[in-house]
Amino acid sequence: MMDNILNQIFVLTVLMVVGIILRKKNVITDEVSKGMTNILMGVALPCLIISSFNIKFTKDMARNSINMIIYSTIVHMMLLAVSSLLFLKMEDKEKSIFKFCMIFSNCGFVGYPIAQALYGDIGVFYTSIFTIPQNIFVWSYGVMLFSGERGLKSIKNSFKNPPVIAVLLGCLIFIFSIPIPKPVLSTLKSVGNMTTPVAMFIIGAMLADSKVKEILSDKKVYLASFMRLIVAPALTVAVLILIKADKEMINICTILISMPAAILLGIFAEKYDGDKKAASSAVFMTTVLSLITIPLVIAALNAVL
């Protein structure tokens, strides 16, 4: 299994490097990057999600899906509580960056490709379920961290996002065993397979714009990375073992939590006049370091469980 993990990390790294080169060569311009993001979030990822739900309905799968929602909720609430205590004395702008970074992982751009590589369609299926509570927390508590606003409007808006809609449609297909015609399923899978390369190109292009020397000289970004990539997965394992979660569920939840900081961190900081430099630095550093820490986390899981 470890060979498969390392091979997949290598593939993702190469695709990311290609994205960096394309950005440096001005092939991926700002406009192209925006268009690729729209294709990823509006077309490729929803197709991947819907196709992953084309599996036979069983009581075990239904039970595991409910458990995944419960585990995801517990994990995010735990990370929310721990981060609130750890960063209590920080200034508001800095606190919002550190808390968001620790709580929310990049399931969309990195989590889906990794889950698909390790577990196939089942991995994508469970990742889709895992992101339901995460999306609710991101668009409620996550927005509140930067805007200071409370309310249901941002949560309602989250259900308008194509990936979330795809999850809801997928649930209907799964629960009611709705057959997807072969030509349609083949199309969904073909388009969905674009998710990994497009996502890595986008991340590569983002990293190409980062000022590496400034980021490396910022000591606090290492703390943020440590909390996101090491502490958050360790706490996740501990909590899920404590509540006696299934081994496969522990593995998938922990791997998804071990992803780098969510790209929305930079977007929210930009939109709500937060610390944009610190946000982009956290996304950059956690993304780069995750290429090392993700295999280590998976190796640790194999040793512990």
Side-chain angles (χ1 to χ4, degrees):
M1 183 178 179
M2 186 53 66
D3 286 342
N4 185 34
I5 295 165
L6 294 175
N7 287 338
Q8 183 60 25
I9 294 295
F10 177 77
V11 170
L12 294 177
T13 304
V14 171
L15 290 171
M16 197 184 299
V17 171
V18 172
I20 292 172
I21 295 170
L22 291 174
R23 177 64 174 174
K24 292 290 187 182
K25 294 290 185 180
N26 209 35
V27 175
I28 299 181
T29 60
D30 290 340
E31 188 175 346
V32 170
S33 181
K34 185 177 180 181
M36 289 172 67
T37 301
N38 289 335
I39 290 173
L40 175 69
M41 302 304 291
V43 183
L45 184 53
C47 286
L48 178 67
I49 291 170
I50 292 173
S51 65
S52 74
F53 279 84
N54 186 52
I55 52 179
K56 186 178 180 181
F57 178 87
T58 64
K59 289 182 179 179
D60 285 342
M61 289 290 289
R63 183 174 63 252
N64 286 339
S65 297
I66 294 171
N67 286 339
M68 180 61 82
I69 290 175
I70 294 171
Y71 298 153
S72 178
T73 301
I74 290 172
V75 166
H76 283 96
M77 289 181 69
M78 177 270 296
L79 292 176
L80 190 157
V82 172
S83 63
S84 295
L85 291 173
L86 290 176
F87 309 128
L88 185 63
K89 296 182 179 180
M90 285 186 174
E91 295 180 2
D92 287 343
K93 280 193 174 184
E94 192 175 60
K95 187 191 298 183
S96 63
I97 299 295
F98 273 79
K99 290 174 73 172
F100 193 100
C101 181
M102 183 174 181
I103 298 168
F104 302 114
S105 63
N106 191 346
C107 287
F109 282 65
V110 188
Y112 278 104
I114 292 289
Q116 185 181 37
L118 296 179
Y119 298 99
D121 286 344
I122 293 296
V124 176
F125 173 82
Y126 284 133
T127 301
S128 302
I129 301 299
F130 180 88
T131 60
I132 294 173
Q134 186 191 52
N135 274 299
I136 293 172
F137 278 107
V138 164
W139 294 100
S140 54
Y141 184 75
V143 170
M144 188 192 75
L145 279 175
F146 290 92
S147 68
E149 297 176 358
R150 300 171 184 265
L152 296 174
K153 186 177 180 181
S154 57
I155 299 177
K156 291 179 180 178
N157 288 337
S158 72
F159 286 95
K160 297 178 183 178
N161 292 330
V164 178
I165 294 172
V167 170
L168 298 177
L169 287 174
C171 287
L172 293 175
I173 291 170
F174 171 65
I175 292 170
F176 295 104
S177 299
I178 300 172
I180 302 177
K182 284 187 177 180
V184 175
L185 183 60
S186 295
T187 303
L188 288 171
K189 288 186 174 181
S190 295
V191 177
N193 286 336
M194 294 168 53
T195 299
T196 298
V198 172
M200 292 303 108
F201 286 172
I202 293 170
I203 291 176
M206 177 195 72
L207 297 183
D209 289 335
S210 302
K211 296 179 180 179
V212 180
K213 288 184 178 180
E214 287 185 15
I215 294 172
L216 294 178
S217 63
D218 184 359
K219 294 180 181 179
K220 289 184 178 180
V221 76
Y222 294 101
L223 173 61
S225 299
F226 178 72
M227 301 306 292
R228 162 101 299 278
L229 301 173
I230 303 298
V231 176
L235 290 173
T236 299
V237 173
V239 167
L240 293 180
I241 289 177
L242 187 64
I243 62 176
K244 298 181 180 180
D246 176 78
K247 180 180 176 181
E248 186 178 45
M249 296 292 101
I250 295 175
N251 278 322
I252 294 174
C253 286
T254 306
I255 289 169
L256 292 176
I257 287 295
S258 71
M259 297 298 116
I263 288 179
L264 280 173
L265 173 58
I267 295 172
F268 284 176
E270 175 82 34
K271 183 175 181 179
Y272 297 107
D273 196 28
D275 190 337
K276 293 177 283 187
K277 181 180 175 183
S280 61
S281 295
V283 172
F284 174 90
M285 187 61 76
T286 56
T287 301
V288 173
L289 292 179
S290 69
L291 299 175
I292 300 170
T293 59
I294 290 172
L296 293 178
V297 168
I298 295 172
L301 285 170
N302 291 334
V304 172
L305 301 178

